[in-house]
Amino acid sequence: MVNRRTDTQGDGCASHTRPPRFLGRQLAICSVLLIATLDAPLAADPPETQRLEAVALAGEGQLDEGLERLQALDARHPDRPRILADLIILWRQAGENDAIVRRTTGLRPTDVPDYAHVSWAGALRDAGQFERAALVLDASRHRLGTSARVLHGVVLAESGDTPAAITALETIDPLPDSAEDLALMAYGMRLAGRPRDGLALANRARDLDPDHRLARQEQLLALWQLGAAERALAGVRAEPALLEEDIRWQIEADAIAAEIRQAMDRHDRLLTDGRPHEARAPLVDALERLEDFLDRTPSDHPQHQRAAHDRVALLRELEWMPEAVAAWEALPPVASRPPFARRAAADAYLAERRPEAALPLYESLLPADRPADLPLLIALYYTHIALEDYDAAGDILARADRETPAWLPAGEGREPVANWERVDVDQLLVHDAAYRRQDANAWRSSGELVERAPAHAGLRNTRARIARWRGWPERADAITSIAAAWAPEALDTRLNRAANARDLEHFDAWEEELERLTTDFPRDASVRRQVEELADRDRASIESEVTVGRTRGGAGAISGDRDRSWRTRLNSPWSDRDLRAFVEHRRETATFDDTEGRHDRIGAGVEWAAHRQRAWLRVDRNRLGEAETGIAAGWSQWLDDQWRIGIEADSHSLETPLRAAEAGLTGWSAAASLDWRASESLSTYATTGLLSIDDGNRRIQAGTGVTRRLFASAHHLTETGADLYAQHNSEPGGPYYNPENSGSATVRLDHDWITWRRYERAFTQHFHAASGLGYQTDFGSHPIVELRYEHRWDINRRWAVRYGVGWTSTAYDGERERRLYGTFGLEGVF
């Protein structure tokens, strides 16, 4: 595994590196001849004489003839231990290990003379019967000498009895003066999990014989097991034939894995040190080496598959998420994947907005019987959020909260130590409240965290983010400045600075910050989103809305029997001076019995917006008939996070009633507004305006209202409000609806239901209901009702459409009118 884990090499390579037979040909023959000489007094015994003759033939090089005679003797005299012992030695010399295993099945070590035990144990070892081999030498090894003791320790290690093997090899004192025995001891120690001792023994063997093959092998394998895969690889490259190809591939794969881990650690350190532009280089270098290895290894080789999994993890660390997904999906199907590769693939899927693919991979990593890794729980939480499954996300967050205590036990008699992972859980609790639109709770919790750890830059950045989400960019900027005092180059701080500049409409500062972020973090998803938002300023945009209505009852005093309105505005891209040009078409028509009133004007203008100020100027004229050129202008400014003021004026105002326009009258208007916004939960407004019509009438109007949030969750938002409106006309009467005084007082209820959402794409249903009383001079008060139902489709980040239907009931001049209308709107950035 690559992702910060320690690779080990061990028992799996034992069968590939087992040393050759323990005894050479001459040693075996000499042993038999020596025993035969010692047994000379028994020569009068015919079987013994025949045994000695057979051994002598083998010693003279006639091994097959000697074996044939001994086998015949053993068949005739199976109870003669010396015949069996000599036969074992010659069989071993001839490589007939299977014959030895078959013949000795069921025998005890005491049934065979000691001098044959080494050959017997060697045959059993080559047959993989390590426990029987150890049992054969268990009592006789001390009588047979150092080489037998070495072999005994080796077969114990090969049988898996590690403690006994270590004891057997450690008690060999003095150490043998044979390079062969020392190399075997090195092999046994390495196999028993003591590669450091194995390396020392292999070095000692090479001191005696620099060219000893087994000693050279054990040096490389011990270095490999000790984690020095790069040094072992250097030795492999110097002598490629020293180890089998599979082992060479495995050592190289381990060396690459070690480089990847080191590159990841260095990447993290450089990021922490505020050097992100240098952090990627080690990862890129490691990737190049890994790609070369994959090109050279067969695609079906286990080490190729392992390196392919390492590649997925490395691409994810580089934040090359599309490439990581492609690398994962290109892997051949297998029953299971390494956990680190599954985690990397899940991260990549989530970053690429494919949470449905990430979810099963994350869930496969969850342990059932112990606390889960906190970063895994956080990733799983965000996966459920992306899938809009807030219940499941809440369950994961509750588990993270439960399994991540603030203090960790430090052992008996010692003080508990702080668990810094708890900070991540606390921050996630804050963000979770915000995602569920519990902004006040998120703000309160973030403040409590900052009070407990005022010097923690991450907590300050979290609080700044919540402030910005609540519509307080100035406060967010001030909090971010404090975080920057401790961690100016942290990604979180820099993202906050960029987003604050955007919301404060400091566009030059926003662009400069994003340029630096793009250089240092080109693949970061949050950076890319802001870069895309900034790029929208270089694109043209459109806003268009159409309303069609039908009125029944009354005299159609305001809207007429049938009414239509259409407004479309095309905006140019923003310039470097925060200016853009626009063209705008506004059309309103209504039928009054057999006549029609019309506003149909087209114009062009320029708009400036920066530093939370906005100003615009438009020149327009009638699209048909006489030009009647008009000029309009407006300006607004946020004074701070709560207050905004605005004014505007129009020399040819479309507020002039359509009946007045149908009678040939025009008018100019001026208005002022004042908005106050405590937060997302409470806001109020006040407006006042003047409309001056050619007939001498001065219409003064004023309104105020308040909006309060009643309920909010991840998918539902309910708000209520109240509005007051009053109007006075200086010259009541005339050809249009023009009472001396009129007004209304209403309460309203609005509900948004995000019925479906996938990142920036969403379908939202909107319900609006309002009711109250209207008033008109000479006619008194009357009830007012309005109902509206709308759909909004956010097609992507740049385009949205909405449509709906509404119904109102009110009275003019004492006669009730009921209006049914439909709307359609489009807004987008090209």
Side-chain angles (χ1 to χ4, degrees):
M1 176 172 137
V2 169
N3 198 4
R4 294 168 177 78
R5 60 112 170 98
T6 302
D7 286 311
T8 58
Q9 309 82 27
D11 296 352
C13 65
S15 62
H16 300 291
T17 59
R18 184 181 303 148
R21 291 180 185 141
F22 186 71
L23 293 179
R25 174 183 296 269
Q26 296 303 319
L27 178 59
I29 296 298
C30 289
S31 298
V32 175
L33 290 175
L34 176 60
I35 298 301
T37 301
L38 295 174
D39 290 343
L42 301 175
D45 184 7
E48 288 299 321
T49 300
Q50 295 170 18
R51 177 180 72 85
L52 292 174
E53 290 174 353
V55 169
L57 284 172
E60 293 170 358
Q62 300 181 53
L63 180 59
D64 292 341
E65 179 66 21
L67 265 175
E68 184 177 343
R69 292 189 182 191
L70 277 178
Q71 287 176 160
L73 278 172
D74 183 58
R76 293 194 303 272
H77 306 284
D79 55 345
R80 294 287 184 115
R82 293 182 184 276
I83 294 175
L84 175 57
D86 293 347
L87 182 58
I88 288 172
I89 291 173
L90 294 186
W91 264 335
R92 176 66 172 163
Q93 181 62 32
E96 299 288 343
N97 293 323
D98 290 343
I100 297 173
V101 173
R102 288 194 302 271
R103 178 64 181 85
T104 58
T105 299
L107 296 181
R108 298 167 300 176
T110 54
D111 294 336
V112 179
D114 288 356
Y115 70 86
H117 281 190
V118 169
S119 294
W120 184 10
L124 292 171
R125 176 182 177 234
D126 284 356
Q129 298 186 24
F130 305 119
E131 293 180 0
R132 282 189 65 196
L135 184 62
V136 167
L137 293 171
D138 192 49
S140 62
R141 69 186 188 278
H142 295 291
R143 298 189 294 272
L144 292 172
T146 300
S147 294
R149 294 177 66 187
V150 170
L151 181 59
H152 179 253
V154 168
V155 293
L156 283 172
E158 290 174 327
S159 72
D161 192 352
T162 299
I166 292 174
T167 300
L169 293 171
E170 281 186 332
T171 55
I172 296 176
D173 187 26
L175 290 175
D177 55 6
S178 161
E180 178 73 13
D181 286 341
L182 287 168
L184 275 170
M185 287 183 70
Y187 164 74
M189 278 296 194
R190 179 181 61 79
L191 198 60
R194 297 280 287 271
R196 193 174 302 278
D197 293 331
L199 179 61
L201 290 165
N203 290 339
R204 190 180 183 98
R206 291 203 65 187
D207 288 341
L208 296 176
D209 183 356
D211 297 325
H212 195 280
R213 182 180 181 83
L214 178 59
R216 298 201 312 276
Q217 289 176 343
E218 287 305 313
Q219 273 187 326
L220 298 181
L221 294 172
L223 285 170
W224 176 33
Q225 277 194 337
L226 287 169
E230 202 67 63
R231 288 186 59 191
L233 181 60
V236 168
R237 286 172 172 166
E239 291 185 88
L242 196 58
L243 297 174
E244 296 176 2
E245 184 182 64
D246 282 351
I247 299 299
R248 296 200 304 270
W249 288 132
Q250 193 171 353
I251 289 175
E252 185 170 359
D254 279 352
I256 294 171
E259 181 180 350
I260 293 172
R261 290 194 300 273
Q262 293 166 6
M264 289 178 174
D265 291 341
R266 182 165 173 75
H267 173 263
D268 292 345
R269 288 196 303 271
L270 289 170
L271 286 181
T272 302
D273 293 343
R275 297 157 63 188
H277 54 287
E278 302 175 32
R280 303 171 65 81
L283 298 176
V284 173
D285 292 343
L287 180 61
E288 290 177 355
R289 181 176 178 184
L290 183 62
E291 298 280 9
D292 174 70
F293 179 77
L294 287 168
D295 290 341
R296 290 186 287 107
T297 51
S299 60
D300 59 347
H301 194 281
Q303 297 311 314
H304 181 97
Q305 299 302 319
R306 171 191 171 184
H309 288 115
D310 289 348
R311 182 171 180 264
V312 175
L314 186 52
L315 289 168
R316 181 260 172 270
E317 194 73 11
L318 279 163
E319 295 187 342
W320 294 359
M321 301 306 189
E323 293 86 344
V325 168
W328 172 261
E329 294 180 345
L331 294 172
V334 295
S336 63
R337 300 285 187 196
F340 76 93
R342 279 181 277 150
R343 175 64 180 277
D347 289 347
Y349 276 126
L350 184 58
E352 286 301 294
R353 299 187 169 189
R354 295 174 61 183
E356 70 287 344
L359 181 60
L361 293 173
Y362 281 135
E363 289 181 333
S364 72
L365 298 168
L366 282 175
D369 55 350
R370 56 182 173 82
D373 175 56
L374 179 59
L376 172 61
L377 290 178
I378 292 175
L380 190 54
Y381 166 86
Y382 278 112
T383 302
H384 285 300
I385 291 292
L387 290 168
E388 296 294 322
D389 190 348
Y390 279 78
D391 290 339
D395 292 340
I396 294 295
L397 182 55
R399 177 174 178 176
D401 187 24
R402 184 175 61 252
E403 295 181 356
T404 313
W407 299 93
L408 296 174
E412 187 176 353
R414 299 174 61 187
E415 292 292 329
V417 296
N419 181 11
W420 290 107
E421 282 192 333
R422 181 66 209 185
V423 175
D424 296 330
V425 176
D426 291 337
Q427 287 181 298
L428 191 58
L429 288 167
V430 171
H431 284 118
D432 181 71
Y435 299 152
R436 297 172 190 272
R437 298 200 275 199
Q438 305 297 317
D439 302 87
N441 292 339
W443 177 251
R444 182 179 61 255
S445 299
S446 68
E448 292 170 355
L449 292 177
V450 170
E451 287 179 5
R452 293 204 299 265
H456 195 291
L459 296 178
R460 292 275 183 181
N461 277 313
T462 295
R463 186 161 175 77
R465 189 175 300 109
I466 300 301
R468 188 172 60 254
W469 291 350
R470 299 198 78 186
W472 301 333
E474 291 188 8
R475 188 179 299 188
D477 196 47
I479 297 170
T480 303
S481 297
I482 298 174
W486 290 300
E489 295 303 317
L491 176 59
D492 209 17
T493 302
R494 297 172 64 182
L495 284 171
N496 262 336
R497 280 202 300 253
N500 294 340
R502 175 198 62 202
D503 289 3
L504 289 169
E505 298 185 342
H506 299 163
F507 298 117
D508 290 341
W510 184 29
E511 183 175 7
E512 290 173 5
E513 188 68 54
L514 284 181
E515 285 178 356
R516 293 192 293 269
L517 280 167
T518 303
T519 299
D520 295 338
F521 305 97
R523 295 291 189 114
D524 183 83
S526 297
V527 173
R528 285 188 295 171
R529 278 195 295 272
Q530 288 202 45
V531 168
E532 290 170 356
E533 291 174 10
L534 180 62
D536 288 347
R537 290 177 57 81
D538 296 327
R539 298 172 180 269
S541 61
I542 186 173
E543 308 159 37
S544 185
E545 183 176 23
V546 178
T547 302
V548 178
R550 175 73 180 269
T551 301
R552 296 184 181 277
I558 296 295
S559 54
D561 299 327
R562 298 177 184 271
D563 63 275
R564 294 170 296 280
S565 68
W566 179 24
R567 174 185 175 272
T568 298
R569 172 169 159 162
L570 288 170
N571 304 298
S572 73
W574 291 96
S575 72
D576 293 340
R577 296 183 178 275
D578 301 320
L579 292 167
R580 68 176 177 181
F582 64 88
V583 294
E584 186 174 42
H585 177 221
R586 297 174 298 157
R587 182 184 184 191
E588 295 181 5
T589 64
T591 57
F592 303 98
D593 298 326
D594 296 330
T595 63
E596 181 181 71
R598 176 190 300 270
H599 292 304
D600 193 352
R601 297 183 68 80
I602 188 167
V606 63
E607 181 180 16
W608 173 85
H611 308 290
R612 307 190 82 190
Q613 298 182 62
R614 188 171 299 271
W616 56 272
L617 176 69
R618 182 187 68 233
V619 177
D620 58 11
R621 51 155 291 170
N622 286 331
R623 192 173 65 89
L624 302 172
E626 296 183 12
E628 295 185 2
T629 301
I631 185 168
W635 169 85
S636 65
Q637 177 178 358
W638 280 96
L639 303 177
D640 53 27
D641 283 338
Q642 274 74 46
W643 294 95
R644 179 175 63 178
I645 58 174
I647 58 173
E648 62 179 58
D650 189 345
S651 68
H652 198 288
S653 176
L654 265 64
E655 291 185 23
T656 304
L658 286 171
R659 279 189 181 272
E662 186 256 338
L665 300 174
T666 63
W668 61 267
S669 64
S673 63
L674 177 65
D675 297 283
W676 176 81
R677 185 180 185 279
S679 66
E680 75 293 331
S681 297
L682 179 64
S683 62
T684 185
Y685 71 90
T687 63
T688 184
L690 170 66
L691 172 64
S692 177
I693 305 177
D694 290 350
D695 61 1
N697 185 37
R698 301 290 183 267
R699 175 173 289 180
I700 300 172
Q701 51 196 0
T704 186
V706 63
T707 300
R708 177 75 180 181
R709 179 175 291 187
L710 291 182
F711 171 79
S713 68
H715 298 113
H716 294 272
L717 178 65
T718 305
E719 294 181 330
T720 187
D723 301 283
L724 295 173
Y725 173 77
Q727 182 185 102
H728 172 74
N729 291 283
S730 64
E731 300 290 336
Y736 54 93
Y737 177 72
N738 191 36
E740 180 178 4
N741 295 297
S742 63
S744 64
T746 58
V747 293
R748 50 187 155 79
L749 185 71
D750 290 271
H751 182 78
D752 285 323
W753 175 22
I754 301 175
T755 312
W756 174 86
R757 180 169 57 191
R758 181 67 178 268
Y759 296 99
E760 290 93 356
R761 294 183 293 158
F763 168 54
T764 304
Q765 300 183 67
H766 176 74
F767 306 88
H768 170 82
S771 179
L773 291 175
Y775 170 81
Q776 180 181 339
T777 300
D778 299 328
F779 292 94
S781 61
H782 55 271
I784 298 173
V785 177
E786 180 179 11
L787 300 173
R788 187 171 69 252
Y789 173 61
E790 294 179 322
H791 287 172
R792 177 184 173 92
W793 289 91
D794 293 292
I795 301 171
N796 54 36
R797 185 179 53 80
R798 300 204 308 261
W799 288 91
V801 296
R802 56 184 174 82
Y803 51 87
V805 61
W807 177 82
T808 63
S809 176
T810 187
Y812 300 104
D813 295 335
E815 297 187 42
R816 180 153 298 276
E817 292 187 358
R818 296 173 180 85
R819 178 172 177 255
L820 181 66
Y821 63 92
T823 63
F824 178 84
L826 168 70
E827 56 188 73
V829 177
F830 292 101

